[in-house]
Structure formats: structure tokens, C-alpha cells
Amino acid sequence: MIRPLFIPPGARRAAAARALPVLALCSLAALGCSGKKRKAAPPAEPPPTAIDTLVVHKVAADVSKPDPAAAYWQGLAEGEIVMTAQPMVAPRPDVATTEKVFVKAVTDGKLAAFRIRWRDPERSMAGRLGEFSDALALEFPVKTDPLPPVMMGAAGAPVHIFHWRAQYQRDHEEGKPTIATLYPNASIDMYPMEFKDQPGAHEAGREQFSPGAAVGNPQSYAKGGVDEIIAEGYSTSSVQAGSEGHAAHGDWANGEWTLVIVRPLATEGGSNLAPGQRAFIAFAAWQGGKLEVGSRKCVTMAWLPVSVQ
Amino acid sequence: MLHYAPVDEDWMYPNVGEDDCAGGVAGGSHIPTTPHEQAWMFYLPRTCAHCTYPACLAACPRKAIYKREEDGIVLIDQSRCKGYGECVRACPYKKSMYNTYTRTSEKCIGCYPAVEQGIQPQCVVNCIGKIRVMGFINPPAKARADNPIDFLVHKKQIALPYYPQLGLEPNIYYIPPIHADREYLHQMFGPQVDGAIERYRDLERDPVAAGLLCLMGSTDRIMHRFKVERGKAIGYDDKGAELVQVPVTEPVIERAAFDAKLGAIRNNTP
Ligand code: SF4
Ligand code: SF4
């Protein structure tokens, strides 16, 4: 049995209320234009609505480049997904920091792109001690009959996760920060590392003091935008090596992330999406600025059915 | 410190102030009695205590921390740690630290590669004061008088864990400083600190204890047993083979202050 996502009535009301500021913004834009040559107004975006199925719309465009502003998102219905503070595993967040995500999905027949939007008052990309990254994850069941537990799967019932971190994106686009960039005034007496008053020392000198890198921990390397993960229950998530068939890019503006994660429809050993085939999705979000990391996150409490066109 | 997540400033200058006097001492004053109420200080090497009930281990939602059955050493699996920093928050001794470069949390590894070969950890064998010893403790009911650690902790009861009230059963035992403020020592080592100090003061009348203190720092191997007889202290490994033999009382040799042969003044350096 597929359980439709439960949407509390309050959430629907909140969705209606949300449309107001959008309208206000539109009228401001109209004011700004007055007196100048009138441009064609962009088509009005339909307000997000609660959904019981996420439709992956077929588009006649290449969706391989993750682009939150791509034309094919225009005018597509946006689903409103209710999140809650992760309730199962300690340590848990005290409050639901990310109460909702808003989702659109498209496919070009080979790849599926998901555009996720959520409120996050500050952009956090981690780096120095005590800083954590904003992050979002899409989760898919590897097998759909029976469905694995929505929270991280179970032994023999794996889930397939695409985990984006703002930190990974920064690494990918600007390079992984060194200690010299994170702590420009750091200094030390003996170690042959790249501190400012260590002439001739270099980052390679630090590498031999990097046990994480030495044992191949993906955490210790610069990433692309997104980690592909397989999990079979709490505490078991493991990053899959060498999976490059996905990409992500997020833009943060005005207290809101708009992120696109692209994944192949078909994967080997992972989850599969195809027209007419049972498929499901779940979401998790972390607000780094609220020190959320690991099990301190907001999640969806049930699998949401996915319908690929 | 419970569940406090440290920030940069906490670890920025870990040694600043440690040798500084916090108050003034009037000129000409002296310190007539112990404990010293006026002025006191002590050093305390605080590495990870490889706790019997490690808070770091319990806090990790990834189960990336484990306590080894063979030697009790607590390790963070560097291939599985995802740098959540939960152990950094949870350890009340603040012994697990997040490395912003490796993006994993790291901590003392109990020098396990050495311990696996029967060698004591580096911080023990490098101690120039020869006041450290590493070994394996037994539960109180199974304590053996010839086990160096059992002897100090269970039999003589002169070594105490620090902040035992946190409940983790840390496995570093300290012989408490005798000069420091008692109220502070009670807070740090618990109510048994008075007895421990008394018994420590009495130690010179116990040749076995004196012998064990002489063995400390005299071998880099892990001592599983020791024996003191005929003025000699002897340490043994896990198979009963002798590791080291030291005199309990060093022979006193009187020599002229000036060494004519080397043309040098002699120093009395123990
Ligand atoms: S001292 Fe801290 S890091 Fe070491 S075992 Fe105990 S709780 Fe863990
Ligand atoms: S020398 Fe070894 S046992 Fe001592 S603190 Fe360092 S890693 Fe730990």
C-alpha cells in the first residue's frame, strides 16, 4: 500500500498565505518598470500546492546542467512538501528549522532534474571550527516492493541518496580551502605545513598528517556538488566511489536556497526512475547556520510517490 | 563542558597563561605549610582517557567510534567519520577535536601501533620526569598486587581518575599534587583525594611502592607484573620475561666537584 503524504490542513493555509508576498513583489516590479519601455512580463508562477505525487515533467531540453533559472522550470507546478525535525535518532534537532521544501522535477528522457527551494536565513558553507554547511538530500528506494523504511532504509532494504552540501559546491567551484585561507594568521613552530611563517612549507606537508585522506575517507577530499550515498539503516550511509553521473548547483538569495540536483533516470545497483514505473522520493534538509549536521536535520516522514512522464 | 561545542577561541592559545601567576605574593612572604593556600600550581597532562564508558562513542550517530576489546583503546574510524563533531561536543574532557583540514574529528589513538607490540605510548616513554606508566587495570575484585596499575589504583589507592563524577570512568589515574588547594582537588579528583595524599606521603616507608615508582620510566615496554626483592625492582612482560631491573635506592657515590680528567665541573643531575 502506498500511503499518500499527509499534509496537515494548517500547511495548506500557510501555502495560501505565502502567495501574498509574491504578489506584492510583482506589483513592485511593475512600478519599477513604469516610465521605461515595457518588457513582456514573465508568466506568473503558479503558487506551490500540496501534492500527493511528484510529477517529473518531460521537457524538450537538455537538463544535464543544473540550472535553477533554466527556462524549462517556468510555469511548472511546484509541489509543497512538509518537513519535520528528525524524530528517530539522537541527537535530534529541537525544532523544525526547515518546515517545508518546494519542488519541481523535469526529465529529458535520460536524466531527471529536481529543483528544490527552501527558506534558510543565512548561507552557511562550513570551513572553520564550529561552522556547518547548509545541505539537502534526495532519497530514493532501491527497490519499491516492499518499500524500505523511509528513514535511511534497513538491512537488505537499501536507499539511494543524493546529498548536496553548500560546502561541496564551494569546493567544486572555488577549490577546497586550505588552512592558510581558513586561518590566515595561524602559525606553528615545527610542522612542515603551509602556515604563513613557514617558508618552503606547502600543503603536501599537511597531507601526511591527514589520516582521513590516507584511508580514503571521501570527507577528506574536495567534492563535486553532491555525494551519492547508499544506506541500509541508521548509521550505515556510505558514499559511493566514482559515481559521476550526477551534478548539483544551488543559488542562495534573500534567505532562500534554490537548488537543482540532476541524477540519471537509470543507475546500476541504485534507484531507478522510468515512465510508468513505481517510484518514490523523500527529502532532508540541514541549516548549517543553526548548527545542523548529521542526524540534526529536518526530514519528510513518508515516501512521496513519483510519476515520471 | 558537558555538550559544549568548542569554538576557535577555545583552542587558539591552549597554553597561554598556564605558567602565569594568577595572584600576587607579598615580598618576603614564604609558604610555611601544605596545602598551600596562598600560591599553588600544578601541571596535568590531559590526553584522552580511553574511558570505560566513552561519551564520544555514545554520541556518534554514525557509530564511527569504537572501543577495542583487546586493549580498551577508543578510536575514531577515520574512514567513516563524517565530521559531525558530536563527539567533540559530548566528550566532557574535550579530547576529540575537529580538524578543519581533514574534515574529520581526531583524537589520541593511545599509540595503538606501539601498544600492539607491547610498547608503552609515546607520551609515557617520553616523559622526562619518569612519572608515567601505562598498563592494564583489572576490575577491583580481580586486582592483582603484582600488576603495576592495580597496585597503584586498587591496592595503595594513591592514583585517582579526574572528574570521576562525570561517570565515564576515565582510564587515566593521577597521583594528585600534594601542595594544591584541597577544595580544588576535591572537585577534580573526588572525596578520596585526602586519603590518597596521605598514603602518598607515607610511601617512603613502603619499599614495594618505592620500587614501582623507580620502575616507571625505566622501560619502554608494557609491564604486566613487577616484583621488589633484595633492594631491586623488576618488571616483567605479559609472558613473564624480565624487562628491566632497577635498584630501589640508587647507590650514593661521592665525587669531587671538579672532574680533573675531563676538565669539567660535575653536575648533580639525577
Ligand atoms: S576522554 Fe573523551 S574522547 Fe577520550 S574516550 Fe573519554 S569521552 Fe572519548
Ligand atoms: S602520545 Fe599516543 S597515547 Fe599519548 S596522547 Fe599522543 S596518541 Fe595519545
Side-chain angles (χ1 to χ4, degrees):
Chain A
M1 262 309 282
I2 305 160
R3 296 255 268 10
L5 187 71
F6 172 65
I7 311 285
R12 288 175 204 270
R13 269 201 306 279
R18 211 189 168 284
L20 281 175
V22 176
L23 283 175
L25 270 178
C26 289
S27 51
L28 270 180
L31 276 177
C33 285
S34 65
K36 292 193 187 141
K37 198 173 161 232
R38 256 194 117 87
K39 276 196 233 152
E45 284 288 302
T49 49
I51 51 172
D52 56 15
T53 300
L54 177 64
V55 178
V56 184
H57 298 273
K58 183 78 195 277
V59 291
D62 173 9
V63 303
S64 59
K65 183 173 174 286
D67 178 7
Y72 45 75
W73 301 115
Q74 292 271 321
L76 284 186
E78 189 173 50
E80 176 185 305
I81 317 279
V82 175
M83 312 270 280
T84 189
Q86 186 276 119
M88 299 300 285
V89 171
R92 293 179 284 268
D94 299 331
V95 291
T97 48
T98 309
E99 292 179 332
K100 290 170 195 172
V101 294
F102 304 97
V103 187
K104 297 182 179 189
V106 296
T107 178
D108 58 10
K110 267 179 136 174
L111 302 168
F114 297 83
R115 199 193 81 167
I116 311 101
R117 204 163 58 75
W118 71 100
R119 303 285 314 159
D120 185 336
E122 50 188 312
R123 185 168 75 138
S124 318
M125 299 191 293
R128 293 173 64 134
L129 183 68
E131 294 175 355
F132 296 98
S133 177
D134 294 335
L136 187 122
L138 305 180
E139 183 194 40
F140 302 89
V142 171
K143 291 194 188 106
T144 54
D145 207 7
L147 275 172
V150 67
M151 290 185 190
M152 305 304 284
V159 293
H160 186 188
I161 295 167
F162 295 82
H163 177 96
W164 168 89
R165 278 193 197 178
Q167 179 189 30
Y168 300 162
Q169 180 171 318
R170 191 253 335 264
D171 288 358
H172 189 55
E173 292 170 359
E174 296 163 32
K176 182 174 181 270
T178 62
I179 291 295
T181 50
L182 289 175
Y183 297 96
N185 295 318
S187 159
I188 200 166
D189 47 6
M190 271 162 53
Y191 290 88
M193 298 173 178
E194 78 301 3
F195 291 108
K196 65 168 187 178
D197 46 5
Q198 283 283 23
H202 40 74
E203 204 177 337
R206 180 178 295 282
E207 275 304 315
Q208 60 173 312
F209 296 97
S210 181
V215 293
N217 188 340
Q219 182 73 13
S220 301
Y221 294 98
K223 311 288 192 81
V226 65
D227 261 354
E228 200 173 334
I229 291 170
I230 293 283
E232 291 189 70
Y234 303 124
S235 321
T236 66
S237 74
S238 74
V239 176
Q240 304 303 295
S243 46
E244 294 299 328
H246 52 267
H249 177 83
D251 287 325
W252 184 91
N254 305 321
E256 183 171 274
W257 277 105
T258 308
L259 164 73
V260 173
I261 297 179
V262 180
R263 58 153 291 172
L265 287 179
T267 68
E268 236 169 82
S271 59
N272 290 300
L273 302 173
Q277 193 177 299
R278 252 164 81 83
F280 299 86
I281 192 170
F283 300 84
W286 292 258
Q287 297 202 6
K290 300 270 181 346
L291 306 183
E292 287 185 339
V293 69
S295 58
R296 300 173 196 262
K297 61 185 168 185
C298 286
V299 295
T300 44
M301 291 293 287
W303 289 110
L304 175 68
V306 172
S307 164
V308 182
Q309 284 188 343
Chain B
M1 301 305 273
L2 290 174
H3 290 267
Y4 170 69
V7 291
D8 276 335
E9 286 73 13
D10 294 312
W11 280 328
M12 211 166 249
Y13 318 101
N15 303 110
V16 166
E18 77 171 11
D19 289 333
D20 298 348
C21 202
V25 179
S29 68
H30 66 292
I31 299 168
T33 55
T34 59
H36 302 159
E37 273 128 30
Q38 281 181 307
W40 53 271
M41 63 84 70
F42 60 90
Y43 292 109
L44 201 72
R46 298 192 317 114
T47 70
C48 161
H50 299 277
C51 305
T52 308
Y53 310 105
C56 57
L57 183 156
C60 176
R62 269 186 77 67
K63 298 190 172 49
I65 304 185
Y66 58 105
K67 186 168 175 69
R68 308 205 318 173
E69 235 169 83
E70 60 269 40
D71 50 24
I73 290 175
V74 176
L75 291 175
I76 302 176
D77 183 341
Q78 288 299 313
S79 67
R80 295 201 69 249
C81 172
K82 280 193 102 177
Y84 298 162
E86 297 295 349
C87 57
V88 183
R89 282 185 206 227
C91 169
Y93 303 111
K94 293 289 163 268
K95 289 301 131 196
S96 147
M97 298 163 122
Y98 179 71
N99 181 330
T100 49
Y101 184 79
T102 66
R103 295 177 178 178
T104 57
S105 299
E106 297 170 357
K107 64 183 266 307
C108 156
I109 57 170
C111 287
Y112 71 86
V115 170
E116 284 172 1
Q117 297 175 52
I119 298 170
Q120 301 188 70
Q122 279 299 298
C123 56
V124 174
V125 299
N126 285 350
C127 172
I128 50 173
K130 297 187 170 196
I131 60 166
R132 300 173 76 144
V133 62
M134 179 267 177
F136 296 101
I137 195 169
N138 286 301
K142 290 189 181 162
R144 282 187 356 238
D146 66 350
N147 171 326
I149 311 297
D150 285 351
F151 182 83
L152 294 170
V153 173
H154 296 314
K155 182 151 190 293
K156 295 304 285 187
Q157 298 184 356
I158 55 168
L160 299 169
Y162 77 137
Y163 288 101
Q165 61 270 46
L166 300 173
L168 309 189
E169 208 178 289
N171 283 304
I172 299 182
Y173 293 84
Y174 297 90
I175 298 175
I178 54 177
H179 304 302
D181 178 66
R182 277 299 161 88
E183 209 181 314
Y184 187 81
L185 292 179
H186 285 161
Q187 173 193 309
M188 193 164 214
F189 298 106
Q192 294 186 46
V193 79
D194 297 319
I197 287 174
E198 235 161 79
R199 288 185 287 276
Y200 175 77
R201 285 184 190 280
D202 218 31
L203 223 51
E204 57 183 331
R205 277 184 279 283
D206 181 344
V208 179
L212 177 55
L213 295 192
C214 290
L215 280 171
M216 285 162 67
S218 296
T219 172
D220 61 358
R221 314 286 307 176
I222 298 173
M223 274 188 291
H224 290 255
R225 283 197 312 117
F226 80 105
K227 182 166 83 180
V228 178
E229 59 179 22
R230 286 191 290 275
K232 287 217 159 67
I234 311 158
Y236 302 92
D237 70 8
D238 55 338
K239 298 193 179 64
E242 185 179 312
L243 291 171
V244 66
Q245 219 183 87
V246 292
V248 177
T249 308
E250 292 277 346
V252 176
I253 298 168
E254 283 185 28
R255 289 183 294 186
F258 186 75
D259 186 330
K261 199 169 133 212
L262 293 174
I265 294 171
R266 288 194 167 107
N267 265 319
N268 195 9
T269 310

